[in-house]
Amino acid sequence: MKRCVVPIPALLPAIAAVCLAADNKIDASLYQDTANKLIDAALADDAGLNRLEYLCYRIGNRLSGSASLDQAIAWGAEEMKQAGLVNVRTIPVKVPHWVRGRESAEMVEPRQKPLFMLGLGGSVATPPDGITADLVAVSSFDELEKLGKGGVEGKIVLYDAPFVSYDKTVTYRSNGASRAARLGAVAALVRSITPRSLRDPHTGAMQYSAFDPKIPTAAVSVEDAMWIHGLTRAGQRVRVHLAMEAHAEPDADSADVIGEIVGREKPDEVVVIGGHIDSWDVGQGAHDDGGGIMAALEAVALIKKLGLQPRRTIRLVFWTNEENGGRGGVAYRDWAGTQSGKHIAAIEMDGGAEKPVGFDIGAGQRPARGASRTAPGTGVPPELMQRATAIGALLKRIDAARIEPGEGEADIEPLMAQGVPGFGLRTAMTHYFDYHHLQADTFDKIVPEEFKRCAAAMAVMSYVLADLP
C-alpha cells in the first residue's frame, strides 16, 4: 500500500542503537559480499516458494478464529524448526471470531438480477428474511450529508466512490455504515476498494461507531456499483434485497509464532522480522500475507543455511489477527515487555509479494485504521536515514535500493510507538489491489522471481541491521 510520512519523536534508546553520528556512516562494501551470497541463495532456492504453495493450496484462507488458522499456526511452528531456528514457540492471543455465514444481494427493481457481493468483516446480520429497500447512491460523504435524513432514512446507501488511493478511499469501507446509519439508512453497500475489477467484490474490515445504530454492510463489485449509480442518476428507482447471516462468536484462542537465530555477541538485542499469518476468509491469502510470512521465513532460513550468525538476534514472527483486530502485534509487544527497548529494528512485509523496490522507515504511532495517514514533514532522523540508505545500496542489483520515510506496517506499530524503528518492505504493487481481500488472492498470482527477490531483500536488511558493529 502507498505509505504517507509520519513524524518521528525524539530519538529513543532503540533508535540510538541503530543511528550513529552523521560522520560515522557504514561502509556498505563491507557487507556487499555477504549480501550477494544471500541474494544468490534466495534467487536459486525454491524452498520458500514451496512453503507458500503448501500454505495456499493445502491450508487455504485463515481468518481469525478459524480451524485453518489454527492449522497454519501449528504448521508454521514446525516449518521454523525444520529451517533450524531455535526458541520456537507460540504466544497465546485472544482474537475476534467473526463468521460470514450465507449472504446474497439482489436487485429486485427495475429488474431482477443477482449482485456480486461480499459482506464486510465485522458486519452484523440482516433480519432472517433479509432487507428489501429502495437504494440511494452517492460518490462521497459530502453527497450523503446533502441528502440528509429525509433522503436516506429507510433506504440502503450505496457508496460508489472511485478508487483514488487505498488510504483515501478505504474510509468508505471503514466508516460508511455508521455514517449512513446516522441518517436512518437500513443497510450500506460499498464499491470495492480497487482500481481494477473483473466483477469481483473485495471484502475487508469495517468499524461501527459507538454512537450510531449497527446496520449490515457489504462490498459490491465496481461494475455493479457503477451500474446501479448510473440508474439512479437517470432517475430510475432501484430496489435491492440484502440477506446476511454474519455474526460474531466469542473471542477465540490463537497465537503468534516465533523462532530465532540467536546473536553471537549481543543475543539480548533483537531485530524482529515477519508478516501476518491470518488472512480474510476468501481466496488463499497468497499476497496478503502468505507471501510476507513465507518470504520472511525464507530470509531467516537462508541466513541460517549459509552459516551466518549476526551479532544480534534475528527473531522471526508470524503475527496473528492483523486483518480484523491487530491483537497479535499488541500481544507480541506485551510478551516482549521490557525487551522492547532492546529491539534494534522491526521489519514487516505486508504489501504483496510483487517486485520489491526498497523499504520505508518510520517510528511512533501509525494512524488508526481508516484514518487519514497524511502528516507533515518526514521526521526521520538523518542518521537513521543515512544508515538505512547505506544498507539499501546493497540491494541495487535487484533494484530494491529505495529507502524512504514512511510508516512501517500494522503489526509492528506497537513496537514503533515505543520508539523502535519500523521498516516496511515496499513492492511495485502493480497488481496488489487487483487481488486484495478477494477470492482471487491465490498462489497462481505469485510470480516466483518476484517472491524470491522479496526474500532476498528481507534477508539482507535483517542480517545487516543485526550485524552492525
Side-chain angles (χ1 to χ4, degrees):
M1 306 174 191
K2 188 175 184 229
R3 302 294 176 182
C4 299
V5 200
V6 297
I8 295 181
L11 292 182
L12 296 172
I15 297 181
V18 176
C19 309
L20 301 182
D23 60 355
N24 200 5
K25 303 175 185 178
I26 66 168
D27 181 357
S29 64
L30 296 177
Y31 285 98
Q32 191 64 68
D33 287 346
T34 301
N36 286 337
K37 289 177 182 178
L38 286 168
I39 292 170
D40 290 341
L43 297 181
D45 196 272
D46 289 326
L49 203 62
N50 292 338
R51 291 188 191 101
L52 179 56
E53 182 178 30
Y54 185 96
L55 177 67
C56 292
Y57 284 167
R58 303 290 291 276
I59 297 178
N61 56 60
R62 308 167 295 280
L63 186 61
S64 290
S66 66
S68 56
L69 178 58
D70 294 341
Q71 182 184 357
I73 289 168
W75 173 81
E78 288 302 314
E79 289 299 309
M80 289 187 188
K81 293 175 184 176
Q82 290 294 321
L85 305 191
V86 298
N87 299 327
V88 176
R89 73 201 85 174
T90 56
I91 300 173
V93 186
K94 282 286 188 180
V95 297
H97 186 189
W98 179 79
V99 179
R100 180 178 301 280
R102 292 178 296 180
E103 57 185 15
S104 64
E106 182 180 23
M107 179 188 289
V108 295
E109 189 179 333
R111 54 181 291 198
Q112 194 163 4
K113 185 179 184 304
L115 302 176
F116 294 86
M117 62 83 75
L118 277 175
L120 295 180
S123 176
V124 297
T126 64
D129 293 334
I131 293 172
T132 302
D134 285 0
L135 181 144
V136 58
V138 297
S139 297
S140 67
F141 287 135
D142 287 342
E143 289 185 16
L144 178 74
E145 295 301 324
K146 286 179 182 178
L147 289 174
K149 191 168 185 177
V152 172
E153 191 169 24
K155 296 179 181 178
I156 296 173
V157 169
L158 167 66
Y159 294 100
D160 179 31
F163 185 92
V164 178
S165 70
Y166 184 78
D167 295 341
K168 292 180 179 179
T169 313
V170 74
T171 184
Y172 295 100
R173 190 189 78 200
S174 303
N175 307 311
S178 290
R179 293 287 295 268
R182 193 173 306 163
L183 297 175
V186 295
L189 301 176
V190 180
R191 170 173 165 165
S192 289
I193 312 301
T194 178
R196 304 177 188 87
S197 178
L198 291 175
R199 214 157 198 173
D200 290 320
H202 297 233
T203 190
M206 54 79 59
Q207 294 86 40
Y208 287 115
S209 160
F211 310 104
D212 301 301
K214 294 182 179 181
I215 59 175
T217 181
V220 296
S221 71
V222 172
E223 293 87 345
D224 282 350
M226 295 178 68
W227 170 51
I228 294 170
H229 199 177
L231 290 175
T232 63
R233 277 196 297 257
Q236 175 67 57
R237 180 189 187 191
V238 175
R239 284 178 66 80
V240 167
H241 178 77
L242 177 68
M244 297 174 61
E245 292 181 342
H247 66 280
E249 298 280 352
D251 283 359
D253 293 324
S254 189
D256 294 335
V257 189
I258 293 175
E260 295 176 341
I261 295 176
V262 177
R264 70 180 189 273
E265 291 182 7
K266 300 181 178 182
D268 59 336
E269 294 184 3
V270 176
V271 172
V272 64
I273 176 176
H276 66 86
I277 193 168
D278 65 305
S279 75
W280 280 105
D281 58 333
V282 294
Q284 297 167 356
H287 276 282
D288 189 17
D289 187 27
I293 59 173
M294 292 299 100
L297 173 55
E298 176 72 348
V300 180
L302 290 174
I303 293 170
K304 180 72 176 178
K305 185 177 180 180
L306 292 177
L308 300 172
Q309 186 180 16
R311 287 181 170 87
R312 299 171 185 84
T313 294
I314 297 178
R315 180 178 293 154
L316 173 65
V317 182
F318 296 168
W319 287 281
T320 195
N321 186 229
E322 187 273 345
E323 293 293 3
N324 64 337
R327 296 187 189 176
V330 173
Y332 175 79
R333 179 207 59 198
D334 293 345
W335 172 82
T338 57
Q339 296 183 54
S340 293
K342 295 185 178 181
H343 278 68
I344 302 307
I347 309 169
E348 183 169 9
M349 175 178 163
D350 186 19
E354 295 185 74
K355 180 183 179 296
V357 297
F359 292 84
D360 70 14
I361 314 171
Q365 191 73 26
R366 292 173 78 247
R369 290 170 181 263
S372 172
R373 302 182 179 197
T374 304
T378 65
V380 177
E383 297 86 357
L384 176 57
M385 183 57 67
Q386 290 163 356
R387 180 58 54 92
T389 300
I391 300 172
L394 302 172
L395 297 168
K396 285 182 178 179
R397 59 173 285 203
I398 58 169
D399 300 321
R402 191 172 78 194
I403 305 294
E404 296 179 338
E407 62 174 28
E409 290 289 358
D411 292 301
I412 58 177
E413 173 188 347
L415 292 174
M416 293 167 61
Q418 295 185 346
V420 178
F423 291 72
L425 179 70
R426 294 293 157 247
T427 66
M429 302 191 85
T430 307
H431 296 290
Y432 180 69
F433 287 111
D434 299 355
Y435 316 134
H436 188 243
H437 298 176
L438 183 66
Q439 292 284 9
D441 184 10
T442 49
F443 179 74
D444 58 285
K445 308 305 186 305
I446 300 292
V447 178
E449 178 71 15
E450 294 178 350
F451 170 83
K452 292 178 179 182
R453 288 188 175 206
C454 289
M458 296 283 275
V460 171
M461 183 59 73
S462 60
Y463 176 78
V464 178
L465 282 172
D467 195 63
L468 290 174

